[in-house]
């Protein structure tokens, strides 16, 4: 296909230079955005008297038919075109002749591509926020089911204190709510129209950038034409918000891998989200969780890639920026696919509450409660801590747990111990008593669930 920029030179470049220069294999995904941008541009040009009403009708009609034909498969995107903008303008001109050549008045591919990408990212953010909302709902349901299920809470992956499984799950809910808020915030800065910046300096035509922006659903327009064509901060913000979504998914995935192992057995994953081994018949592998964890590397790569592309670019447009799309597309595709598999995986996972409880009964996770018991009886915390440390040490030697020692055995360590100590170290009591704001007690978990439900009820995507 001939080049849009043929004129000064013939448009014929070296074969490998051509391959390197071409972006249609990637940016063909922007055909819809490119066409809606062009329709709005034609309307603006006619409103301002830059082209005639008649030309506008011809252009808009032809652009809509190009869109239809691409969607129904009668028009194949020709990958020998330089990029999607060249292809669409080429087809338009083939179909309507000289009128097609008027469309590019008062615009450049530089503001056109910035516009297309912003339209695309806006759509993606809305879709991803919707998926995150579903994820929040699914995890909150699981948390509600297990708001009273006692399990070990860990620090350093060592059993630390008893918690409720619901409390643990809700920690992820709050991470994903922050992700939603971050994407909503990033959206505000994507929602700015660059069209009309032209190549870099604006134009001599009497354009109406606000009219065109409004037609395309933007809240406002960029204030500086050079910034308009060279700003890709919105890509960085978008991918960085996605990198954090993926970080959270990956941490959750890691726990699912651990929890579904024989060593933990805290959850059973549905066979729809696990695979078998080709050699070991007993295997049920948590591949989907593992891949979610593994795919995180790609999204981080996309973030580093976009940052590196931009670093050191002089103003305004530089061809390096053509590389922005692969990072934007890949990050969005990866996060969306992971979310679409992750949501039903969490929705169908079965918490194995008895196993959690059994694990909580080992490992002396009520030792802090035993020390607190002595503190409440008047022992300073440091002394109480030391006494309980000795008790735990002796229990380990004799293969016992705290619940097994008799009162007279306890008395040997401190005469402050009375029969009510057993109440104090009972695991259910241990969690029920941690009712401080945001704590692990079922009463506190309920309050958190209420907060999430209100957040969802008031939910407005933007
Ligand atoms: N394919 C190009 C890109 O994605 C479109 C803009 C081309 N502009 C130019 N001055 N060559 O960035």
């Amino acid at each position: 296909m001939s080049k849009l920029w043929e004129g000064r030179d013939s448009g014929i470049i070296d074969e490998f230079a051509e391959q390197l220069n071409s972006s249609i294999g990637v940016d063909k995904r922007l055909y819809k955005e490119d066409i809606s941008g062009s329709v709005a541009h034609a309307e603006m040009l006619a409103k301002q008297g830059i082209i005639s009403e008649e030309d506008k009708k011809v252009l808009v009609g032809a652009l809509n038919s190009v869109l239809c034909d691409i969607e129904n498969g009668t028009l194949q995107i020709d990958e020998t075109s330089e990029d999607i903008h060249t292809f669409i303008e080429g087809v338009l001109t083939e179909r309507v002749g000289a009128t097609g050549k008027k469309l590019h008045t008062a615009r450049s591919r530089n503001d056109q591509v910035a516009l297309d990408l912003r339209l695309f990212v806006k759509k993606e953010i809305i879709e991803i926020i919707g998926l995150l909302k579903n994820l929040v709902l699914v995890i909150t349901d699981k948390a509600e089911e297990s708001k009273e299920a006692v399990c070990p809470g860990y620090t350093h992956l060592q059993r630390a204190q008893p918690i409720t499984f619901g409390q643990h799950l809700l920690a992820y809910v709050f991470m994903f709510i922050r992700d939603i808020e971050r994407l909503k915030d990033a959206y505000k800065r994507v929602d700015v129209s660059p069209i009309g910046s032209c190549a870099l300096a604006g134009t001599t035509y009497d354009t109406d950038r606000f009219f065109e922006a409004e037609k395309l659903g933007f809240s406002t327009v960029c204030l500086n034409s050079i910034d308009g064509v060279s700003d890709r901060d919105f890509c960085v913000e978008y991918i960085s918000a996605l990198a954090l979504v993926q970080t959270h998914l990956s941490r959750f995935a890691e726990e699912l891998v651990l929890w579904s192992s024989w060593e933990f057995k805290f959850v059973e994953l549905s066979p729809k989200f696990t695979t078998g081994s080709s050699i070991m018949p007993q295997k049920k592998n948590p591949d989907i969780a593992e891949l979610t964890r593994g795919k995180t590397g790609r999204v981080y790569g996309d973030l580093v890639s976009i940052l590196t592309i931009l670093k050191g670019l002089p103003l305004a447009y530089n061809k390096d920026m053509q590389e922005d799309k692969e990072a934007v597309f890949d990050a969005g595709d990866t996060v969306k696919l992971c979310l679409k598999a992750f949501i039903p995986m969490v929705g169908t996972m079965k918490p194995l509450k008895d196993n959690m409880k059994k694990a909580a009964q080992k490992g002396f996770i009520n030792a802090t409660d035993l020390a607190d018991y002595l503190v409440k009886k008047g022992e300073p915390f440091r002394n109480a801590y030391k006494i309980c440390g000795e008790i735990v040490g002796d229990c380990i030697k004799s293969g016992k747990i705290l619940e097994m020692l008799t009162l007279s055995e306890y008395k040997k360590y401190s005469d402050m111990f009375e029969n009510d100590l057993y109440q104090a170290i009972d695991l259910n009591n241990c969690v029920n008593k941690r009712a401080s704001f945001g704590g692990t007690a079922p009463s506190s978990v309920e309050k958190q669930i209420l907060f999430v439900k209100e957040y969802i009820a008031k939910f407005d995507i933007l």
Side-chain angles (χ1 to χ4, degrees), residues 5 21-24 27 30 82-86 108-111 113-114 232 317-325:
W5 40 268
N21 193 44
S22 161
S23 61
I24 194 151
D27 62 28
L30 294 175
E82 192 177 329
D83 56 26
I84 190 66
H85 327 291
T86 313
S108 146
R109 272 189 299 166
N110 298 351
D111 56 346
V113 73
R232 293 294 184 275
Y317 177 84
N318 299 270
K319 198 60 175 265
D320 317 44
M321 290 159 91
Q322 179 163 282
E323 293 293 306
D324 56 6
K325 283 166 276 314

Side-chain angles (χ1 to χ4, degrees), residues 341-352:
F342 210 87
I343 295 167
M345 178 167 67
V346 173
T348 51
M349 101 187 167
K350 248 203 280 145
L352 303 174

Side-chain angles (χ1 to χ4, degrees), residues 362-375:
K362 297 175 203 153
F364 303 98
I365 61 175
N366 43 5
T368 315
D369 298 89
L370 190 65
D372 284 342
Y373 169 86
L374 287 178
V375 171

Side-chain angles (χ1 to χ4, degrees), residues 371-385 387 413-416:
D372 284 342
Y373 169 86
L374 287 178
V375 171
K376 281 175 194 150
K377 298 264 166 169
E379 191 71 69
F381 181 76
R382 274 293 146 232
N383 295 347
Y385 173 91
I387 294 167
Y413 297 95
S414 162
D415 54 16
M416 284 184 185

Side-chain angles (χ1 to χ4, degrees), residues 135 138 142 249 252-253 256-257 267-270 272-274 285-292 338-350:
L135 180 60
V138 160
K142 284 282 147 193
L249 285 175
F252 201 169
L256 293 181
V257 172
V267 299
E268 182 78 46
L269 294 177
S270 153
K272 282 194 173 168
F273 302 96
T274 56
N285 298 327
D287 293 33
I288 299 309
E290 291 170 274
L291 281 165
T292 303
C338 289
L339 282 170
K340 285 176 188 169
F342 210 87
I343 295 167
M345 178 167 67
V346 173
T348 51
M349 101 187 167
K350 248 203 280 145

